[in-house]
Amino acid sequence: MKTHGIILSVGLSLLVLSSCTVVRQGEVGVKRTLGKIKPAPLMEGAKGFNPLVTTIIKVPTRTMNIEVRQPLPSKEGLTVQSDVSILYRVDGQQAPKIIEQIGRSYEEVVILPVFRSAVADISSRYYAKDMHTGQRAEIEKAIRELMMTQLKGRGFEIESVLLKSIALPAGLSRAIEEKLNAEQDAQRMQFVLDKERQEAQRRVIEAEGIRDSQKIINEGLTPMLIKFKTIEAFNKLSTSPNSKIIVTSGDSPLMLSADKM
């Protein structure tokens, strides 16, 4: 009798445990009873149910990441390989409808096919080189917006589409690299030319300054000023203690040292 009691207790305990589940944060529960989906989602917390007729399906509502390696067709007909991250989340209020209409494999059934259609449509509008430049953000935004349009009302929010590890065709990669090198060489040459041009302008300005200075001096040297400066020079020479001979015509002195005579 004791053995039967223990077995009964264990069986009841297992039944109780199997009839309870916990819905954690970042997910909702979808109750299916006798094959019918309940329209209201189960929020986080412990939930009891009859395991004989009911199943609780847990659907994550936090941000999910799908990694895809996708060939991208370009406008000129080339194929660019890229690793793509699709960040999306499920609207918890619409989780029962998603499970009812699509099932648990909604990534493979809906999100990935919509992504492949959108990325082929958008990438074919751009040249391959655009996917490797600053236009990548523009392409990502356009893919996301097109996906949101196609998934509107279905309970999915596409947060971001990120193009990573863009692999251009070998010939195009070399052409882009050569173009960048040529642009850098042109920029360096432009820098040298600008520097030489600035130096030439500096010399012109310097020459103009010297010319203007000489012009001002020449215009200021009147005969009276020259005679006045000559008289000043004579006065300074006359007060000098050194022996010297001054030869002059009265206009400008010529000084000879007496020691060298």
Side-chain angles (χ1 to χ4, degrees):
M1 294 296 291
K2 290 183 179 180
T3 303
H4 290 295
I6 294 173
I7 294 174
L8 181 60
S9 298
V10 172
L12 289 174
S13 298
L14 292 174
L15 181 61
V16 170
L17 291 175
S18 65
S19 63
C20 182
T21 190
V22 177
V23 178
R24 296 178 176 82
Q25 291 182 341
E27 63 183 14
V28 296
V30 177
K31 180 182 286 188
R32 174 186 288 154
T33 302
L34 297 175
K36 185 177 180 180
I37 298 292
K38 300 297 182 181
L42 302 177
M43 298 295 103
E44 60 265 17
K47 307 297 177 183
F49 63 98
N50 184 350
L52 299 177
V53 296
T54 300
T55 303
I56 303 296
I57 302 171
K58 298 177 183 179
V59 179
T61 57
R62 60 187 178 276
T63 299
M64 304 297 290
N65 179 23
I66 307 177
E67 295 281 348
V68 185
R69 184 161 184 80
Q70 181 70 26
L72 310 179
S74 67
K75 189 174 183 178
E76 66 266 55
L78 299 175
T79 298
V80 178
Q81 292 293 335
S82 175
D83 292 329
V84 185
S85 286
I86 308 168
L87 303 181
Y88 79 95
R89 64 180 182 85
V90 173
D91 181 356
Q93 293 300 319
Q94 298 197 56
K97 185 177 72 172
I98 292 173
I99 296 299
E100 182 178 23
Q101 296 180 355
I102 303 172
R104 299 186 186 187
S105 303
Y106 46 80
E107 285 188 354
E108 292 78 10
V109 175
V110 173
I111 295 178
L112 286 175
V114 168
F115 162 74
R116 291 190 177 99
S117 173
V119 77
D121 186 2
I122 298 300
S123 65
S124 62
R125 305 176 191 176
Y126 293 85
Y127 292 105
K129 63 181 181 61
D130 297 334
M131 304 176 194
H132 204 265
T133 63
Q135 288 188 282
R136 181 189 302 186
E138 180 181 325
I139 297 172
E140 294 171 342
K141 181 180 177 182
I143 295 172
R144 175 190 173 275
E145 290 177 349
L146 183 55
M147 290 184 67
M148 284 300 301
T149 299
Q150 295 177 352
L151 292 171
K152 184 176 181 180
R154 306 200 69 174
F156 301 102
E157 172 71 22
I158 305 300
E159 296 181 354
S160 297
V161 175
L162 306 175
L163 303 181
K164 306 184 298 181
S165 303
I166 299 293
L168 298 176
L172 181 60
S173 296
R174 284 196 302 272
I176 292 176
E177 184 176 353
E178 290 172 358
K179 180 182 177 182
L180 292 176
N181 290 335
E183 290 176 351
Q184 291 175 355
D185 291 340
Q187 290 176 355
R188 283 194 292 268
M189 182 57 67
Q190 185 63 42
F191 173 78
V192 172
L193 292 176
D194 289 342
K195 185 176 180 181
E196 293 295 333
R197 191 177 297 109
Q198 291 173 357
E199 178 63 18
Q201 291 176 349
R202 185 194 67 78
R203 291 175 180 174
V204 169
I205 293 172
E206 182 182 18
E208 290 177 349
I210 294 173
R211 181 200 63 194
D212 294 341
S213 176
Q214 290 176 345
K215 182 179 179 182
I216 292 172
I217 293 173
N218 291 334
E219 290 177 351
L221 290 177
T222 62
M224 292 298 295
L225 179 60
I226 294 174
K227 183 172 290 187
F228 175 74
K229 292 295 183 181
T230 301
I231 294 172
E232 281 187 341
F234 284 158
N235 288 333
K236 290 181 179 179
L237 289 172
S238 65
T239 59
S240 175
N242 299 329
S243 298
K244 56 186 72 66
I245 298 174
I246 300 173
V247 181
T248 178
S249 62
D251 294 328
S252 59
L254 173 63
M255 183 177 67
L256 299 175
S257 174
D259 296 336
K260 296 181 180 182
M261 293 292 293

